[in-house]
mmCIF file of all heavy atoms in Angstrom:
data_model
loop_
_atom_site.group_PDB
_atom_site.id
_atom_site.type_symbol
_atom_site.label_atom_id
_atom_site.label_comp_id
_atom_site.label_asym_id
_atom_site.label_seq_id
_atom_site.Cartn_x
_atom_site.Cartn_y
_atom_site.Cartn_z
ATOM 1 N N VAL A 73 -4.897 -10.180 0.317
ATOM 2 C CA VAL A 73 -4.014 -9.912 1.462
ATOM 3 C C VAL A 73 -4.781 -9.223 2.588
ATOM 4 O O VAL A 73 -4.677 -9.594 3.748
ATOM 5 C CB VAL A 73 -2.799 -9.050 1.040
ATOM 6 C CG1 VAL A 73 -1.933 -8.702 2.258
ATOM 7 C CG2 VAL A 73 -1.991 -9.765 -0.023
ATOM 8 N N GLY A 74 -5.552 -8.214 2.228
ATOM 9 C CA GLY A 74 -6.305 -7.476 3.228
ATOM 10 C C GLY A 74 -5.693 -6.121 3.517
ATOM 11 O O GLY A 74 -5.001 -5.539 2.669
ATOM 12 N N TYR A 75 -5.919 -5.632 4.703
ATOM 13 C CA TYR A 75 -5.433 -4.316 5.117
ATOM 14 C C TYR A 75 -4.181 -4.454 5.984
ATOM 15 O O TYR A 75 -4.096 -5.334 6.840
ATOM 16 C CB TYR A 75 -6.503 -3.565 5.915
ATOM 17 C CG TYR A 75 -7.723 -3.195 5.118
ATOM 18 C CD1 TYR A 75 -8.841 -4.024 5.103
ATOM 19 C CD2 TYR A 75 -7.765 -2.014 4.376
ATOM 20 C CE1 TYR A 75 -9.973 -3.685 4.371
ATOM 21 C CE2 TYR A 75 -8.886 -1.670 3.642
ATOM 22 C CZ TYR A 75 -9.989 -2.506 3.643
ATOM 23 O OH TYR A 75 -11.104 -2.167 2.914
ATOM 24 N N ASP A 76 -3.239 -3.551 5.760
ATOM 25 C CA ASP A 76 -2.058 -3.462 6.611
ATOM 26 C C ASP A 76 -2.490 -2.816 7.926
ATOM 27 O O ASP A 76 -2.914 -1.650 7.947
ATOM 28 C CB ASP A 76 -0.987 -2.618 5.917
ATOM 29 C CG ASP A 76 0.286 -2.517 6.731
ATOM 30 O OD1 ASP A 76 0.263 -1.894 7.809
ATOM 31 O OD2 ASP A 76 1.312 -3.058 6.283
ATOM 32 N N VAL A 77 -2.397 -3.546 9.023
ATOM 33 C CA VAL A 77 -2.915 -3.089 10.306
ATOM 34 C C VAL A 77 -2.249 -1.796 10.771
ATOM 35 O O VAL A 77 -2.915 -0.825 11.128
ATOM 36 C CB VAL A 77 -2.766 -4.189 11.386
ATOM 37 C CG1 VAL A 77 -3.086 -3.628 12.776
ATOM 38 C CG2 VAL A 77 -3.682 -5.370 11.073
ATOM 39 N N ALA A 78 -0.921 -1.756 10.738
ATOM 40 C CA ALA A 78 -0.199 -0.576 11.234
ATOM 41 C C ALA A 78 -0.530 0.660 10.407
ATOM 42 O O ALA A 78 -0.733 1.748 10.958
ATOM 43 C CB ALA A 78 1.304 -0.839 11.214
ATOM 44 N N TYR A 79 -0.608 0.490 9.095
ATOM 45 C CA TYR A 79 -0.887 1.647 8.245
ATOM 46 C C TYR A 79 -2.323 2.125 8.422
ATOM 47 O O TYR A 79 -2.595 3.334 8.449
ATOM 48 C CB TYR A 79 -0.624 1.306 6.775
ATOM 49 C CG TYR A 79 -0.899 2.468 5.846
ATOM 50 C CD1 TYR A 79 -0.203 3.665 5.996
ATOM 51 C CD2 TYR A 79 -1.859 2.380 4.846
ATOM 52 C CE1 TYR A 79 -0.453 4.741 5.178
ATOM 53 C CE2 TYR A 79 -2.122 3.453 4.016
ATOM 54 C CZ TYR A 79 -1.410 4.636 4.179
ATOM 55 O OH TYR A 79 -1.671 5.707 3.356
ATOM 56 N N LEU A 80 -3.257 1.180 8.580
ATOM 57 C CA LEU A 80 -4.646 1.568 8.767
ATOM 58 C C LEU A 80 -4.844 2.253 10.121
ATOM 59 O O LEU A 80 -5.643 3.193 10.237
ATOM 60 C CB LEU A 80 -5.549 0.341 8.640
ATOM 61 C CG LEU A 80 -7.048 0.603 8.457
ATOM 62 C CD1 LEU A 80 -7.305 1.610 7.339
ATOM 63 C CD2 LEU A 80 -7.788 -0.702 8.175
ATOM 64 N N VAL A 81 -4.118 1.806 11.140
ATOM 65 C CA VAL A 81 -4.146 2.507 12.428
ATOM 66 C C VAL A 81 -3.702 3.950 12.240
ATOM 67 O O VAL A 81 -4.324 4.895 12.755
ATOM 68 C CB VAL A 81 -3.239 1.797 13.466
ATOM 69 C CG1 VAL A 81 -2.979 2.713 14.675
ATOM 70 C CG2 VAL A 81 -3.868 0.493 13.923
ATOM 71 N N TYR A 82 -2.623 4.142 11.465
ATOM 72 C CA TYR A 82 -2.132 5.496 11.212
ATOM 73 C C TYR A 82 -3.160 6.324 10.448
ATOM 74 O O TYR A 82 -3.423 7.485 10.791
ATOM 75 C CB TYR A 82 -0.819 5.435 10.427
ATOM 76 C CG TYR A 82 -0.445 6.763 9.809
ATOM 77 C CD1 TYR A 82 0.045 7.811 10.596
ATOM 78 C CD2 TYR A 82 -0.606 6.986 8.441
ATOM 79 C CE1 TYR A 82 0.359 9.033 10.034
ATOM 80 C CE2 TYR A 82 -0.289 8.202 7.870
ATOM 81 C CZ TYR A 82 0.187 9.228 8.674
ATOM 82 O OH TYR A 82 0.490 10.436 8.110
ATOM 83 N N GLN A 83 -3.748 5.738 9.395
ATOM 84 C CA GLN A 83 -4.721 6.469 8.588
ATOM 85 C C GLN A 83 -5.906 6.943 9.423
ATOM 86 O O GLN A 83 -6.314 8.111 9.345
ATOM 87 C CB GLN A 83 -5.235 5.580 7.451
ATOM 88 C CG GLN A 83 -4.315 5.483 6.252
ATOM 89 C CD GLN A 83 -4.993 4.717 5.132
ATOM 90 O OE1 GLN A 83 -5.378 3.570 5.309
ATOM 91 N NE2 GLN A 83 -5.136 5.349 3.986
ATOM 92 N N ILE A 84 -6.478 6.032 10.210
ATOM 93 C CA ILE A 84 -7.648 6.398 11.007
ATOM 94 C C ILE A 84 -7.263 7.381 12.100
ATOM 95 O O ILE A 84 -7.986 8.353 12.365
ATOM 96 C CB ILE A 84 -8.306 5.134 11.603
ATOM 97 C CG1 ILE A 84 -8.858 4.251 10.472
ATOM 98 C CG2 ILE A 84 -9.422 5.520 12.570
ATOM 99 C CD1 ILE A 84 -9.460 2.943 10.958
ATOM 100 N N SER A 85 -6.128 7.172 12.736
ATOM 101 C CA SER A 85 -5.661 8.094 13.782
ATOM 102 C C SER A 85 -5.468 9.495 13.223
ATOM 103 O O SER A 85 -5.853 10.488 13.849
ATOM 104 C CB SER A 85 -4.351 7.585 14.397
ATOM 105 O OG SER A 85 -4.527 6.343 15.030
ATOM 106 N N ARG A 86 -4.892 9.569 12.030
ATOM 107 C CA ARG A 86 -4.686 10.878 11.392
ATOM 108 C C ARG A 86 -6.021 11.537 11.082
ATOM 109 O O ARG A 86 -6.206 12.731 11.337
ATOM 110 C CB ARG A 86 -3.890 10.689 10.104
ATOM 111 C CG ARG A 86 -3.622 11.990 9.341
ATOM 112 C CD ARG A 86 -2.984 11.700 7.998
ATOM 113 N NE ARG A 86 -3.858 10.860 7.179
ATOM 114 C CZ ARG A 86 -3.491 10.321 6.021
ATOM 115 N NH1 ARG A 86 -2.261 10.491 5.581
ATOM 116 N NH2 ARG A 86 -4.333 9.574 5.323
ATOM 117 N N GLU A 87 -6.970 10.760 10.551
ATOM 118 C CA GLU A 87 -8.267 11.318 10.191
ATOM 119 C C GLU A 87 -9.021 11.813 11.416
ATOM 120 O O GLU A 87 -9.717 12.833 11.374
ATOM 121 C CB GLU A 87 -9.100 10.255 9.469
ATOM 122 C CG GLU A 87 -10.208 10.817 8.621
ATOM 123 C CD GLU A 87 -9.692 11.656 7.466
ATOM 124 O OE1 GLU A 87 -8.860 11.175 6.685
ATOM 125 O OE2 GLU A 87 -10.135 12.816 7.356
ATOM 126 N N LEU A 88 -8.877 11.105 12.536
ATOM 127 C CA LEU A 88 -9.554 11.495 13.773
ATOM 128 C C LEU A 88 -8.812 12.584 14.539
ATOM 129 O O LEU A 88 -9.287 13.054 15.572
ATOM 130 C CB LEU A 88 -9.737 10.268 14.675
ATOM 131 C CG LEU A 88 -10.728 9.209 14.187
ATOM 132 C CD1 LEU A 88 -10.691 7.982 15.093
ATOM 133 C CD2 LEU A 88 -12.145 9.771 14.122
ATOM 134 N N GLY A 89 -7.637 12.965 14.058
ATOM 135 C CA GLY A 89 -6.868 13.999 14.747
ATOM 136 C C GLY A 89 -6.090 13.490 15.936
ATOM 137 O O GLY A 89 -5.728 14.255 16.833
ATOM 138 N N LEU A 90 -5.819 12.183 15.962
ATOM 139 C CA LEU A 90 -5.149 11.587 17.122
ATOM 140 C C LEU A 90 -3.639 11.552 16.990
ATOM 141 O O LEU A 90 -2.963 11.009 17.855
ATOM 142 C CB LEU A 90 -5.679 10.164 17.353
ATOM 143 C CG LEU A 90 -7.193 10.054 17.535
ATOM 144 C CD1 LEU A 90 -7.586 8.615 17.808
ATOM 145 C CD2 LEU A 90 -7.681 10.970 18.644
ATOM 146 N N THR A 91 -3.109 12.125 15.894
ATOM 147 C CA THR A 91 -1.659 12.168 15.744
ATOM 148 C C THR A 91 -1.085 13.425 16.395
ATOM 149 O O THR A 91 0.093 13.714 16.258
ATOM 150 C CB THR A 91 -1.280 12.123 14.251
ATOM 151 O OG1 THR A 91 -1.964 13.163 13.553
ATOM 152 C CG2 THR A 91 -1.649 10.780 13.645
ATOM 153 N N GLN A 92 -1.933 14.181 17.079
ATOM 154 C CA GLN A 92 -1.470 15.341 17.836
ATOM 155 C C GLN A 92 -2.095 15.298 19.216
ATOM 156 O O GLN A 92 -3.060 14.566 19.457
ATOM 157 C CB GLN A 92 -1.864 16.644 17.129
ATOM 158 C CG GLN A 92 -3.353 16.778 16.865
ATOM 159 C CD GLN A 92 -3.688 18.042 16.108
ATOM 160 O OE1 GLN A 92 -3.388 19.137 16.555
ATOM 161 N NE2 GLN A 92 -4.315 17.883 14.955
ATOM 162 N N ASP A 93 -1.538 16.072 20.143
ATOM 163 C CA ASP A 93 -2.063 16.110 21.505
ATOM 164 C C ASP A 93 -3.210 17.112 21.604
ATOM 165 O O ASP A 93 -3.176 18.182 20.992
ATOM 166 C CB ASP A 93 -0.962 16.531 22.491
ATOM 167 C CG ASP A 93 -0.064 15.362 22.862
ATOM 168 O OD1 ASP A 93 -0.477 14.212 22.638
ATOM 169 O OD2 ASP A 93 1.044 15.610 23.361
#
Side-chain angles (χ1 to χ4, degrees):
V73 176
Y75 294 94
D76 182 293
V77 170
Y79 180 60
L80 195 50
V81 165
Y82 165 74
Q83 280 187 301
I84 295 177
S85 297
R86 180 187 60 188
E87 201 64 54
L88 291 174
L90 304 182
T91 54
Q92 56 183 302
D93 279 342

